[in-house]
Amino acid sequence: MKLLILTSRFPYPIEKGDKLRIYHQIRHLSQKHEVHLIAISDQEVEEAHQQHLESFCSSIHIFPISKGGIAFSLLKGLFGVAPFQVHYFYRKRIHKKILKIAEELKPDRIYCQLIRMAPYVKGLDAQKSLDYMDAFSLGMKRRAKHHVGIKQVLFRWEASKLKSYEEKVFTDFNSHSIISEQDREALNTPYKDQIQLIPNGVDTEFFQPKKEEAEYDLVFVGNLGYSPNILAAKYLATQLLPRIRKDLPETRLLLAGARPVKQILELEKEAGVSIGGWYEDIRDAYASGKIFVAPLFSGSGQQNKILEAMAMGIPCVSTSIVNKSIGAKSPRDILLGDDLESLAEHCIFLLKNPDHILIQASHGRAFVENNYAWSRSHKQLDELFSRSVSLTR
């Protein structure tokens, strides 16, 4: 099958969840199909990164968008019905070029990652599949709760736009997928039962239990320019760590991940906090901590960082919102808390009981091995592409 894939970011290097998902999917799909990639990019793509993807793709087309163009498009979004995310990535001139590429390729199927790329399928003559990945409206609604004033108004407005748009674009596609049950339930469509669940996987051969002694007591890894991760990092450094240090004064925390913003870098002023930034090998970041702590109270989708930490044999402390998309058993596989005291108690218990760290680590690793192999996810993706249905509903 000749497959045309549309993405809003170049899939490599992998430092964000959407990149992780589409990168592994492209690798798998290229084994059976002729894959052609069209990627919008608001970042410069290095030649080495493009060459890496060329080993999987028959052709690659990258369309850069400038900061000035983004600002102008977002301004137009103030007067449009489409979400700001759609305005951010959509350009008519790029759409025309995509139509021309598709006309020459004559693909059998279009695979569109995320609703922000949905406008680009208009006019394309082929079976079309949409990967919602996350229910963006749910994530935006949760983010609004953690802001006040104009930011809260804007997040609520965007959440409303996203909810309408998620429903509107459904009928533009022949088949659909999403990452978790909670995200599927959040979509505003009467056809939820037609949306296939395809969770992300974890490469358990790559993410192996650590052998060296951890330098830090607590670690959090994630894209440190992403709002829910920023909120989690600030909560860790300014609230949770000080509470833990009342009992264990020498407790140290590492915050690691790509694109740390200024307010993250400033957290290094807090007692016991270190900022690691980007790691060439993300396993080094995970292995730096005895316990992985993710106090996430907003966002949506599947938290890959939790599963990767589990795969590396690092006990995880997180929230019930995070676990809804993962389905781990508490307290066997993961320790959950939704307030400062319960999260602190879990961390203190583990740090005071090294033997239990080993037990928790073993259960977490087994959970990932049994439930989140990429082979299972790829099988579900193949099932999605085996469908050929009419757009009439």
Side-chain angles (χ1 to χ4, degrees), residues 216 241 245 250-254 268-274:
Y216 298 88
L241 181 62
R245 285 169 68 93
E250 301 303 315
T251 304
R252 299 178 65 207
L253 164 69
L254 173 67
E268 203 156 27
K269 299 175 183 176
E270 303 290 333
V273 178
S274 295

Side-chain angles (χ1 to χ4, degrees), residues 106-258:
K106 293 181 172 54
D108 301 298
R109 185 176 289 268
I110 312 293
Y111 183 44
C112 177
Q113 189 197 39
L114 307 182
I115 61 169
R116 59 175 65 139
M117 292 296 289
Y120 287 115
V121 307
K122 294 288 187 181
L124 297 181
D125 185 19
Q127 288 277 309
K128 304 179 184 74
S129 298
L130 171 65
D131 182 28
Y132 282 99
M133 193 173 84
D134 303 350
F136 283 0
S137 58
L138 174 63
M140 198 61 64
K141 182 179 179 181
R142 287 175 173 170
R143 287 170 71 174
K145 294 178 181 178
H146 297 276
H147 293 275
V148 295
I150 188 64
K151 281 190 175 181
Q152 186 178 75
V153 171
L154 286 173
F155 281 137
R156 285 178 175 173
W157 189 26
E158 178 72 349
S160 177
K161 286 186 170 188
L162 284 165
K163 196 168 188 66
S164 297
Y165 196 77
E166 285 165 346
E167 179 184 16
K168 178 183 176 182
V169 299
F170 185 93
T171 53
D172 291 337
F173 295 87
N174 304 89
S175 56
H176 314 75
S177 57
I178 202 161
I179 204 166
S180 74
E181 180 63 41
Q182 72 161 336
D183 288 88
R184 181 166 67 178
E185 284 304 308
L187 293 180
N188 187 31
T189 173
Y191 306 108
K192 293 177 185 177
D193 60 329
Q194 297 180 25
I195 303 173
Q196 183 153 337
L197 291 181
I198 304 181
N200 281 349
V202 177
D203 186 344
T204 53
E205 291 298 316
F206 182 78
F207 292 102
Q208 287 277 347
K210 57 182 182 176
K211 296 179 181 179
E212 64 274 18
E213 184 69 24
E215 182 180 356
Y216 298 88
D217 301 291
L218 312 176
V219 62
F220 175 75
V221 179
N223 172 13
L224 296 179
Y226 177 54
S227 179
N229 289 343
I230 294 170
L231 290 171
K234 290 173 69 174
Y235 183 89
L236 264 168
T238 63
Q239 297 187 56
L240 185 56
L241 181 62
R243 169 62 188 87
I244 294 169
R245 285 169 68 93
K246 287 182 179 179
D247 284 55
L248 300 169
E250 301 303 315
T251 304
R252 299 178 65 207
L253 164 69
L254 173 67
L255 302 173

Side-chain angles (χ1 to χ4, degrees), residues 292-306:
F292 188 90
V293 189
L296 290 154
F297 299 99
S298 62
S300 58
Q302 178 183 303
Q303 296 299 325
N304 306 300
K305 53 177 117 0
I306 296 288

